[in-house]
Every structure is written in C-alpha cells, then in structure tokens.
Amino acid sequence: MHKVYLKSGKEESLKRFHPWVFSGAIASIEGKVQEGEVVEVYTSKKEFIAKGHYQIGSIAVRVLSFLQDETIDLDFWKRKLHIAYDMRRSIGLTTNPANNTYRLVHGEGDNLPGLVIDVYAKTAVMQAHSAGMHLERMTIAEALSEIMEGKIENIYYKSETTLPYKADLYPENGFLKGGSTDNIAQEYGLKFHIDWLKGQKTGFFVDQRENRALLERYAPGRSVLNMFCYTGGFSVYAMRGNAKLVHSVDSSAKAIALTNNNIELNFPDDTRHTAFAEDAFKYLDQMGDQYDLIVLDPPAFAKHRDALRNALQGYRKLNLKAFEKIKPGGILFTFSCSQAVSKENFRTTVFTAAAMSGRSVRILHQLTQPADHPVNIYHPEGEYLKGLVLYVE
Ligand code: SAH
C-alpha cells in the first residue's frame, strides 16, 4: 500500500478525526499512487495516522479508517453499512410500514466519505462522489446485499454526474443487482414515483421529509405556493393537510410532470392542485397576494465559496418577493441547501429581506436536515440544509 507523508503540523485535524487530507498538507507520496487507491497516511514523524481513498484534487485523501490494522475489504464495508443501518433502525426509520424511504449512508456523516445510499422501498440507489468509492462499487454492492438481505432487491448505481470527470472513470449508470421498474416508494404514508434513472440526485430529495411533515400541520385551510417543487413533495403533504388550494411551480417541465404524477397518485381528480412550469422570479413578480403559505426551496445557488456573494443576493431577492406578497398572518417556509452558505449567512440574508419588505416577522421554527443525514461532529461542514419557518404579520 502506498504511503502519504504529511508536512509537519498537518496531522492536527486528523487527530481530531476530521476525515479529509488536503493536497497542500502532503509533503511526499511514496511510489506511484493511482486515483481511487487506498493509501496509508503518516505524520512527518513517520507515525501512522489514517487510511483512506486517494484522489487528485484539493481533497487528496478521504479517510476510511483511523486504525492501522483495519483492512478495507468486504468485511469492512459490511461493518460500516451495518453501523449505518443500525442507526436508522434504532431511530425508527426502517420499521415504520408507512415509510420505506430513507438515506442509509450519508457520506462523511456516516464515516464513509464519498458514498451516498438512499433506500426507496425495495431499491437502493448508490452514488459515488469519489474515485475510490467508484472503484469499490461492486464490493460495496455485495456488502449492501448481504446486510439488507430480504429488505432490498435492487441496487441501482448512479454516478455519471457525481464523479470528477478528470479521473477518466467513465462511470455508467445501471443496476448492480436486480432491475425492477417498480419505483413507487412511501414517505409517511404518501406515495411518490422515484425517478432514479433520470431524476436529480438519487431521484428524490429525502432530506426534506421532516420539514414536509411539519408543513402538513400548517396547511389546513391555507392557500399554498410550493416554489421549486421538483417532485411536488411539499405539495402532496399540503394536500393531505387539507389546504384550500395548492400551486406548485418549477422552471423544469419535467419536474412539473413528476409533481402532477405524484399528486394524481395520492389525490386523483382533486381540483385543489395546479402546477406551473415557470421561472421562480417571474412567477413571484407576476403573482397576486392570494397565498398565505409559501415554500421556497431553491437549488443550491452557491456550489462553491466564490459564488457566495451572488448566491446571497439571489436568496435575498427571492425572499423579499415572498415577504412582499404573502398574506397578513401568512407562513413562509424558506430554505437553503448550499453547503457554502452558513447558517448565519442564510439568517442574515432572510432577515435583511424581511426588513426591506417592512413586514413584522417572527421565527416559528429553525429547521435542518433529518436524522438520516447525520452530521459527523468532527466534520461540521456536513450540515448543509438550513430552513426557517416564519410568521409574517
Ligand atoms: N422542494 C423540492 C426540491 C427542490 S430542488 C423537494 O422537496 O423535493 C430545486 C428545483 O428548483 C429543481 O426542480 C429545479 O428544476 C428548480 N429550479 C431551478 N431554478 C429555477 C428557477 N429559476 N425557477 C423555478 N424553478 C427552478
């Protein structure tokens, strides 16, 4: 196994179990290491400190183990996946017959940097974000089959857009096990078509589950606008929550079709719902003041830190329009899923928009990602989803 030697003092973050080694921390690498290989990391004093996947880029090693004698083999993946599954089981996510949708592996949050696995009924969708996880996909799939024996029948691998293109890995999306097209999963008793073949991410945004359930409580009698609806998750919960009317908006015609499908699946022929394929800013400009419950769940405006300023401006503009138009006594659910936007940045931006609108605004809830997207305390950057529920007088 190739050895990576750190510069003096650069072992500190690893001593605190942070799972990344940045390329700038490396003094030298022994031998000719290939991308995706498991390497051993040593301090400048030549003491072993970690083992992980090597990759060319700013994050050079993603740590899999802090133990020298741990071999990265089938048993390793089984142990890790079992720990992840056990956590979901112990918090009741795998035993609720009305809910068969959850995230089984959340990268660094589960000490498996570069790997995401979502479960949709009998299908697991696996996504690699690092060359190392891509190379290990078959062993991981085997481990997953064994530990989920009887619980899942299909494993779909979906990494065409998540791997660094420079690594020349040419990943192909496809089934590693099974091949079912039955793609209806249940989230808290509501049915959703999951489009793992063509949909964004693994096909569904599992991370808004608890926030959607909260919205249901506020829906009775309200006129709801679900902006950036994608699969219509919030809309379906609003319908069950007895909203007076629900309007779903997304600029993608495909998202609108998915939303209409999911509404039809749960509330056939219910005339309370209408979906519009329209740009958010244009829709918010042109709409009237009929809504008293608005959801703003935009895509990550800032994918990188450099884009932060523009992203914050985008969030401010968006929220300002909602504050200006929402009915007195209305409730605004507003989110940011950009990792580059901190909780403080997000709050300040939303509060600035509120102040600009001149409305009196109170915080009802401060939201984040659910328990199946855990934040590793040694990797606080993993906290990415931020939300506020606001009462607008
Ligand atoms: N709220 C959704 C997830 C939203 S993902 C859920 O609960 O699952 C973000 C969505 O925003 C995508 O579907 C994308 O098509 C849409 N989008 C991106 N830019 C947009 C724009 N300018 N106007 C409207 N929708 C946009």
Side-chain angles (χ1 to χ4, degrees), residues 214-226 234-235 237-247 270-274 289-295 326-333 359 364-365 389-393:
L214 180 65
L215 175 115
E216 184 177 351
R217 282 175 30 199
Y218 287 103
R222 292 194 186 262
S223 298
V224 179
L225 170 63
N226 178 13
F234 283 103
S235 306
Y237 280 78
M239 295 288 281
R240 188 169 67 181
N242 292 316
K244 191 159 76 187
L245 76 89
V246 180
H247 288 167
D270 195 322
T271 54
R272 290 175 299 152
H273 179 262
T274 319
D289 57 1
Q290 72 266 42
Y291 302 113
D292 53 4
L293 178 46
I294 298 181
V295 182
I326 197 166
K327 263 194 179 155
I331 290 177
L332 175 64
F333 277 64
R359 304 287 294 267
L364 304 182
H365 303 272
V389 182
L390 304 168
Y391 182 82
V392 188
E393 229 176 272

Side-chain angles (χ1 to χ4, degrees), residues 35-332:
E35 274 200 277
E37 260 185 55
V38 176
V39 293
E40 282 183 338
V41 183
Y42 288 81
T43 66
S44 57
K45 296 200 178 84
K46 314 261 188 281
E47 287 158 353
F48 171 87
I49 190 154
K51 222 177 237 187
H53 282 145
Y54 175 78
Q55 188 161 314
I56 296 166
S58 103
I59 305 170
V61 182
R62 288 167 171 81
V63 175
L64 297 168
S65 174
F66 290 97
L67 307 171
Q68 190 161 22
D69 56 2
E70 196 164 32
T71 312
I72 313 300
D73 56 7
L74 179 64
D75 274 347
F76 169 84
W77 298 110
K78 275 165 62 181
R79 277 199 305 281
K80 290 288 197 180
L81 294 181
H82 191 78
I83 292 169
Y85 179 76
D86 219 40
M87 191 275 258
R88 275 75 183 167
R89 191 189 48 75
S90 73
I91 58 173
L93 269 173
T94 63
T95 45
N96 177 356
N99 192 84
N100 56 23
T101 314
Y102 61 92
R103 177 156 290 195
L104 175 64
V105 174
H106 183 60
E108 284 80 359
D110 284 293
N111 297 313
L112 289 169
L115 183 66
V116 164
I117 302 176
D118 285 332
V119 174
Y120 301 118
K122 294 278 178 195
T123 302
V125 181
M126 188 170 133
Q127 197 156 64
H129 292 258
S130 69
M133 289 299 183
H134 171 69
L135 296 181
E136 309 258 17
R137 66 195 178 285
M138 300 313 283
T139 320
I140 298 171
E142 193 182 335
L144 185 60
S145 285
E146 285 189 36
I147 72 128
M148 297 290 280
E149 175 86 69
K151 296 180 209 80
I152 58 159
E153 289 163 8
N154 315 293
I155 301 175
Y156 187 77
Y157 183 63
K158 190 177 185 201
S159 303
E160 277 177 7
T161 57
T162 55
L163 286 165
Y165 67 94
K166 283 189 192 139
D168 289 341
L169 299 164
Y170 308 110
E172 274 181 25
N173 291 347
F175 283 99
L176 301 180
K177 181 188 173 160
S180 167
T181 51
D182 173 13
N183 64 352
I184 294 177
Q186 279 205 69
E187 189 183 89
Y188 287 155
L190 292 165
K191 294 187 199 114
F192 290 96
H193 287 283
I194 314 291
D195 187 359
W196 54 70
L197 301 183
K198 294 196 216 77
Q200 302 179 43
K201 306 271 170 89
T202 62
F204 191 64
F205 285 86
V206 198
D207 57 359
Q208 288 287 24
R209 181 184 53 244
E210 306 302 327
N211 303 332
R212 290 178 189 126
L214 180 65
L215 175 115
E216 184 177 351
R217 282 175 30 199
Y218 287 103
R222 292 194 186 262
S223 298
V224 179
L225 170 63
N226 178 13
M227 183 53 78
F228 306 99
C229 63
Y230 185 35
T231 56
F234 283 103
S235 306
V236 177
Y237 280 78
M239 295 288 281
R240 188 169 67 181
N242 292 316
K244 191 159 76 187
L245 76 89
V246 180
H247 288 167
S248 305
V249 180
D250 199 291
S251 57
S252 143
K254 211 172 147 270
I256 294 304
L258 288 170
T259 295
N260 281 329
N261 267 339
N262 286 330
I263 294 281
E264 199 53 29
L265 193 60
N266 293 278
F267 304 98
D269 303 321
D270 195 322
T271 54
R272 290 175 299 152
H273 179 262
T274 319
F276 304 94
E278 183 74 86
D279 173 71
F281 291 92
K282 196 165 158 208
Y283 188 92
L284 289 166
D285 267 341
Q286 292 175 352
M287 73 183 197
D289 57 1
Q290 72 266 42
Y291 302 113
D292 53 4
L293 178 46
I294 298 181
V295 182
L296 297 176
D297 184 23
F301 283 165
K303 294 239 159 62
H304 307 284
R305 262 173 223 287
D306 314 343
L308 188 60
R309 244 178 80 98
N310 282 342
L312 294 180
Q313 263 174 23
Y315 288 119
R316 200 187 62 215
K317 257 175 71 182
L318 200 61
N319 282 278
L320 175 58
K321 285 186 200 295
F323 283 127
E324 282 171 351
K325 299 270 177 92
I326 197 166
K327 263 194 179 155
I331 290 177
L332 175 64

